């Protein structure tokens, strides 16, 4: 049996799969490296039987080698956020009961103590590339393939487990809908611990036999230069990145900005998603580049579900219609399906794209399904045949720069600070980030808190993008007769600076 369903990953295919720091890597070379890595992981075993293998790697040849090598050896891939704080990594690794962690040598000092404490083997890709390729196991499509951590309304992120069949369904629906081909070329600068980067960009491109230009991180200047040079046919990003690209273009000489705009115009597709694309942003991108953004809606648990059409009207402020193979229902408060247009309901999803389970959390898994439908927690309405996302059912979820953040997780960390008596973490509307993380804090009497000191205190406990950007606090809030702080008027506090 062919050990991978990715049709272009095969011996002898010389077409370019990846470009890493200017070096082109062919599909055949990549395939051979993945086989060697899978063989090294297997050692004397025949099948890793869903052992969890985590990796702490930026977008790179090594990342792709590990992701696919783990799959071919029969284990579960656990891609980690390379911007995570140590306390977060501790949670991911212990929750998933990871046995081995692959990271580049330069990051071993950072991870060593944590791995020793958790009994995890810390490894490098180069140390696992076997000389001889071992027989690889046949992997049934219904086996677990990947675990990605996502925030919910609860305190700690949960591991979302998808099977090989789920991943194949999430990829193939997009290949057809967005007309991927082996002639495509796409830059990859999105983080690779979320489905946007993993599925929509990396996996769709590799399944289609296209070329992926790997960026260690988002870099507006390099993206602009490559786009102007005609390096790409497809571009996918979160709204914040389109805002940052526009800001970059605004800072250039008009002729240079036009040259870059023309580079984008020449592409066949620009996609926006992971957060709402504001209508003014849609219009500004069109004015600058001539590109009509294709907005789509998705989620870690389901991949992509609803999309504007590739051919046909792409409507600003709307996410379009269900993708082929994905069933979408809007449920009213009584749980019944809404059939009329104009009536809002919660998006429920069914299909081969829907994840298997939250790792080790049958209660959360069960609660997130009703009659076989996955409850997304997003509200939507259909207007003139197109879905429009209205927001979340829970205010405890913040979407910032395309990242889903739990207000409760951030509150939980900050409440450990000895100077904090009470706290409310909220999303604050923001032109660049969609929402910024805001915290309204009541300091304990007699303590002298500063926002700077608090932010510093969060380092190591929270990723940088979860650290509140808009901390406001006062020690002069009135207390009632019971000694409780009476509710501050949040509005003036948030507008204060
Ligand atoms: C970073 N900063 C923020 C911030 N993130 N400030 C406010 N809010 C945030 N969310 C600050 C940093 O602290 C730093 O401040 C400065 O901005 C630059 O940080 P950076 O990390 O270097 O920023 P940048 O590289 O520009 O990253 C921005 C970004 C990144 C947009 C490229 O956030 C990103 O890649 N987002 C995509 C996330 C994603 O892929 N989500 C998909 C989830 S899957 P200072 O003071 O130090 O300068 C999903 C399903 C679906 O949602 O539908 O796709
Ligand atoms: P995540 O759980 O990180 O995968 O984020 C998924 C969430 O992002 C969804 O549940 C939505 O709330 C939000 N989202 C994704 N795409 C869009 C979009 N096009 N418009 C509005 N919200 C979106």
């Amino acid at each position: 049996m062919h050990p991978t369903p990715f049709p272009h990953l095969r011996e002898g295919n010389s077409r370019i799969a990846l470009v890493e720091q200017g070096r082109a890597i062919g599909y055949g070379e990549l395939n051979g490296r993945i086989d060697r890595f899978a063989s090294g992981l297997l050692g004397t075993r025949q099948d890793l039987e869903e052992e969890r293998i985590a990796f702490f790697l930026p977008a790179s040849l090594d990342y792709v080698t590990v992701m696919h090598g783990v799959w071919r050896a029969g284990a579960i891939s656990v891609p980690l956020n390379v911007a995570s704080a140590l306390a977060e990594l501790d949670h991911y690794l212990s929750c998933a009961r990871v046995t081995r962690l692959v990271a580049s040598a330069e990051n071993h000092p950072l991870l060593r103590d944590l791995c020793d404490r958790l009994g995890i083997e810390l490894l490098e890709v180069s140390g696992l590339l076997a000389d001889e390729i071992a027989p690889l196991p046949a992997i049934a499509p219904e086996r677990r393939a990947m675990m990605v951590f996502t925030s919910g309304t609860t305190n700690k992120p949960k591991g979302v487990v998808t099977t090989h069949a789920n991943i194949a369904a999430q990829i193939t629906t997009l290949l057809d809908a967005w007309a991927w081909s082996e002639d495509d070329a796409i830059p990859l600068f999105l983080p690779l611990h979320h489905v946007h980067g993993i599925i929509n960009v990396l996996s769709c491109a590799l399944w289609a036999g296209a070329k992926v230009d790997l960026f260690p991180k988002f870099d507006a200047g390099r993206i602009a230069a490559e786009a102007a040079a005609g390096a790409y046919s497809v571009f996918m990003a979160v709204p914040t990145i389109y805002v940052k690209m526009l800001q970059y273009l605004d800072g250039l000489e008009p002729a240079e900005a036009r040259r870059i705009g023309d580079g984008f115009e020449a592409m066949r597709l620009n996609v926006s998603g992971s957060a709402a694309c504001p209508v003014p942003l849609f219009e500004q991108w069109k004015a600058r580049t001539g590109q009509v953004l294709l907005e789509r809606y998705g989620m870690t648990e389901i991949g992509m579900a609803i999309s504007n059409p590739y051919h046909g009207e792409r409507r600003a402020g709307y996410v379009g219609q269900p993708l082929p193979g994905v069933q979408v229902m809007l449920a009213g408060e009584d749980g019944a399906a809404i059939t009329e247009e104009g009536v809002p309901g919660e998006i429920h999803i069914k299909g081969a794209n829907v994840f298997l389970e939250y790792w080790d959390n049958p209660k959360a898994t069960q609660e997130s399904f009703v009659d076989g439908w996955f409850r997304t927690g997003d509200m939507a309405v259909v207007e003139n045949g197109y879905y429009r996302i209205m927001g979340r059912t829970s205010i405890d979820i913040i979407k910032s720069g395309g990242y889903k953040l739990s207000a409760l997780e951030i509150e939980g960390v900050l409440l450990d600070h000895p100077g904090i008596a009470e706290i409310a973490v909220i999303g604050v509307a923001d032109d660049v980030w969609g929402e910024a993380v805001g915290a309204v804090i009541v300091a304990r009497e007699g303590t002298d808190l500063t926002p700077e000191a608090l932010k510093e205190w969060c380092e190591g406990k929270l990723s940088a993008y979860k650290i509140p950007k808009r901390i406001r606090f006062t020690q002069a809030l009135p207390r009632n007769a019971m000694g409780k702080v009476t509710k501050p008027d949040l509005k003036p506090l948030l507008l204060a600076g």
Side-chain angles (χ1 to χ4, degrees):
M1 185 180 161
H2 198 268
T4 174
F6 285 68
H8 294 262
L9 274 173
R10 55 168 200 270
E11 212 180 312
N13 182 355
S14 60
R15 287 184 71 90
I16 297 171
L18 306 172
V19 179
E20 182 180 62
Q21 286 166 7
R23 183 171 100 81
I25 299 130
Y27 274 91
E29 180 186 346
L30 176 60
N31 184 63
R33 198 168 189 265
I34 295 169
D35 274 348
R36 289 178 59 201
F37 183 78
S39 305
L41 277 182
L42 280 166
T44 54
R45 292 166 64 186
Q46 284 165 2
D47 186 329
L48 296 184
E49 286 160 357
E50 301 190 354
E51 173 183 336
R52 272 79 55 211
I53 300 183
F55 37 109
F56 185 85
L57 296 165
S60 56
L61 168 62
D62 277 352
Y63 178 101
V64 181
T65 304
V66 178
M67 175 71 94
H68 283 259
V70 169
W71 285 343
R72 289 187 194 182
I76 300 178
S77 284
V78 186
L80 297 173
N81 177 0
V82 290
S84 280
L86 272 177
E88 294 167 332
L89 292 173
D90 191 341
H91 168 67
Y92 305 143
L93 294 169
S94 9
C95 171
R97 285 179 277 116
V98 163
T99 50
R100 298 190 247 180
L101 171 59
V102 184
S104 57
E106 67 188 33
N107 283 319
H108 282 210
L110 170 80
L111 301 165
R112 172 77 60 205
D113 285 353
L114 180 59
C115 287
D116 285 350
R117 184 158 55 76
L118 299 176
I120 293 171
E121 230 183 313
L122 183 57
L123 301 158
E124 261 186 276
V125 175
S126 56
L128 283 162
L129 293 172
D131 293 329
E132 299 264 315
I133 295 173
L136 299 175
I139 313 288
E142 58 277 7
R143 276 178 54 170
R144 293 172 181 82
M146 186 164 75
M147 194 186 316
V148 168
F149 280 86
T150 190
S151 297
T153 46
T154 51
N155 196 326
K156 296 268 187 192
K158 299 188 286 264
V160 174
V161 178
T162 42
T163 63
H164 292 272
N166 294 147
I167 291 172
Q170 293 178 3
I171 296 169
T172 51
T173 190
L174 292 184
L175 292 192
D176 289 344
W178 297 346
W180 275 95
S181 87
E182 62 177 23
D183 295 326
D184 280 320
I186 187 167
L188 171 51
F189 41 76
L190 291 169
L192 280 179
H193 61 287
H194 280 306
V195 297
H196 197 163
I198 299 171
I199 301 289
N200 298 24
V201 181
L202 183 61
S203 303
C204 281
L206 291 183
W207 193 297
K211 181 162 79 181
V212 183
D213 189 7
L214 300 166
F215 283 65
K217 74 184 296 283
F218 171 69
D219 176 347
R222 212 191 111 200
I223 291 169
E226 296 288 345
Y232 311 127
S233 61
V234 181
F235 189 83
M236 292 188 195
V238 298
T240 298
I241 288 179
Y242 286 103
V243 174
K244 286 183 169 247
M245 288 306 302
L246 285 170
Q247 287 175 340
Y248 176 80
L249 294 177
D250 284 344
L252 300 176
E253 291 293 324
E256 177 62 0
R258 209 168 312 117
R259 208 171 63 81
I260 296 162
D262 291 346
F264 276 94
E265 182 157 28
M267 295 184 200
R268 70 169 187 85
L269 179 63
N270 286 187
V271 179
S272 172
S274 299
C277 175
V279 174
L281 178 59
F282 179 99
E283 299 298 349
Q284 284 158 16
W285 191 251
K286 191 165 145 193
R288 267 275 182 212
T289 66
Q291 280 283 348
V292 180
L293 285 174
L294 183 154
E295 185 172 3
R296 58 38 175 204
Y297 160 86
M299 193 175 183
T300 305
E301 286 87 338
I302 59 174
M304 298 303 110
I306 309 178
S307 170
N308 271 284
Y310 182 65
H311 299 289
E313 185 203 359
R314 298 179 194 162
R315 202 180 295 167
Y318 290 78
V319 292
Q321 290 164 337
L323 283 158
V326 180
Q327 282 175 265
V328 178
M329 169 184 73
L330 291 186
E333 272 179 24
D334 58 357
I338 290 166
T339 49
E340 312 102 280
E341 288 212 341
V343 182
E346 186 190 353
I347 304 177
H348 289 193
I349 304 283
K350 239 185 211 180
N353 57 308
V354 176
F355 77 124
L356 178 70
E357 63 186 358
Y358 293 114
W359 178 257
D360 247 0
N361 199 338
K363 185 167 172 281
T365 307
Q366 198 215 331
E367 284 169 3
S368 66
F369 285 88
V370 55
D371 298 331
W373 291 91
F374 173 66
R375 304 160 57 184
T376 62
D378 289 306
M379 295 296 290
V381 63
V382 179
E383 289 165 348
N384 299 317
Y386 278 39
Y387 283 77
R388 180 164 64 82
I389 308 294
M390 304 178 75
R392 307 268 324 165
T393 52
S394 164
I395 56 155
D396 290 330
I397 302 273
I398 301 168
K399 256 276 162 166
S400 189
Y403 285 112
K404 186 158 106 179
L405 313 178
S406 157
L408 298 186
E409 182 194 356
I410 300 167
E411 285 172 8
V413 168
L414 282 163
L415 269 176
D416 277 343
H417 190 287
I420 293 180
E422 292 188 41
I423 181 164
V425 167
I426 48 176
V428 184
D430 187 281
D431 286 344
V432 175
W433 303 103
E435 285 181 297
V437 177
V440 181
I441 292 173
V442 179
R444 281 190 200 287
E445 258 169 289
T447 49
D448 192 16
L449 289 176
T450 65
E452 292 66 33
L454 262 181
K455 284 176 186 163
E456 205 172 303
W457 185 83
C458 291
E459 308 260 341
K461 303 182 180 75
L462 287 170
S463 303
Y465 51 82
K466 293 183 191 167
I467 295 176
K469 302 289 161 188
R470 299 207 180 193
I471 298 175
R472 303 280 177 269
F473 58 96
T474 169
Q475 286 157 305
L477 289 176
R479 288 177 188 266
N480 64 17
M482 311 289 289
K484 280 267 173 208
V485 173
T486 53
K487 286 284 167 258
D489 179 358
L490 294 186
K491 219 166 159 205
L493 283 173
L494 286 168
L495 292 178

